[in-house]
Structure formats: C-alpha cells, structure tokens
Amino acid sequence: MQHDRSGLQAAAPHAGPIRTCIGCRSRDSRSDLLRIVAVTDDGGATTAVPDPGARLPGRGAWLHPDIGCFELAVRRRAFPRALRRELRSLEAVREWLETLRSTHD
C-alpha cells in the first residue's frame, strides 16, 4: 500500500487503465470489462455489439461481462446514453454474455 503526503494510505495502483461499468457503475480495470460499441448497418439500423478485443472504431462503453450488469444497464437506459446513439437492438451483447456464461458453467 502506498502513502500519500498526508501520511494516509492510498489505494494500491491498478494495472492498466480504469473504466466504469455502465451497469453497476463500479470502477474496474479495463482488462476486466467488456467494451461495447454501436455499429450501423447499410439500412441505417444501429445496434450495440461486443468488442472483446477493444479494437473496433468509435465510441465505446464498458460493461462487466455479467448478465446482471447488462440487465442493470438496460434498466437504467445506459447503453444509448453512454454510446450517444439511439440503438435498435442489444441482442448481440445479450447473446455474447449468455454464450460466455454457458461456457463457464
């Protein structure tokens, strides 16, 4: 644990950048969160898609790869606000999280 100038203990530094989950609103390492981006198809429909490699272009939102955090984000209407886009569908994200959950069970 490190100490700041006042002599109080400061939080241990995290490895890598810190992001906030749009579902539970807790802060975590970027490597522990899933990046979500908005993708617009040729017909003009915009959907949210998972970006596990964090390489797709555009504004991203961060979410714990947990269905509970996903449901919180949906209830709070956090996806359109974080991505600054109206979204037609979140199904690709839900399917990715359910697939991830089924492989870990």
Side-chain angles (χ1 to χ4, degrees):
M1 192 72 47
Q2 296 181 348
H3 290 74
D4 63 11
R5 289 185 179 174
S6 67
L8 299 174
Q9 285 187 344
H14 291 285
I18 302 297
R19 301 289 185 259
T20 302
C21 173
I22 64 171
C24 67
R25 303 291 299 152
S26 66
R27 295 169 51 96
D28 213 337
S29 173
R30 175 181 151 165
S31 62
D32 293 332
L33 298 168
L34 171 66
R35 184 170 185 256
I36 310 294
V37 295
V39 175
T40 304
D41 66 15
D42 293 337
T46 303
T47 59
V49 297
D51 181 17
R55 298 285 183 245
L56 292 175
R59 182 176 183 83
W62 298 87
L63 180 75
H64 283 112
D66 177 76
I67 201 73
C69 284
F70 174 80
E71 294 297 337
L72 276 172
V74 170
R75 237 184 333 221
R76 295 178 58 244
R77 297 182 201 93
F79 284 101
R81 186 171 44 251
L83 296 171
R84 297 182 182 169
R85 306 280 296 275
E86 289 300 318
L87 300 170
R88 179 165 294 170
S89 174
L90 298 170
E91 283 308 306
V93 177
R94 179 186 302 276
E95 289 171 6
W96 193 89
L97 292 171
E98 288 174 353
T99 301
L100 181 68
R101 182 172 60 176
S102 67
T103 60
H104 283 93
D105 287 344

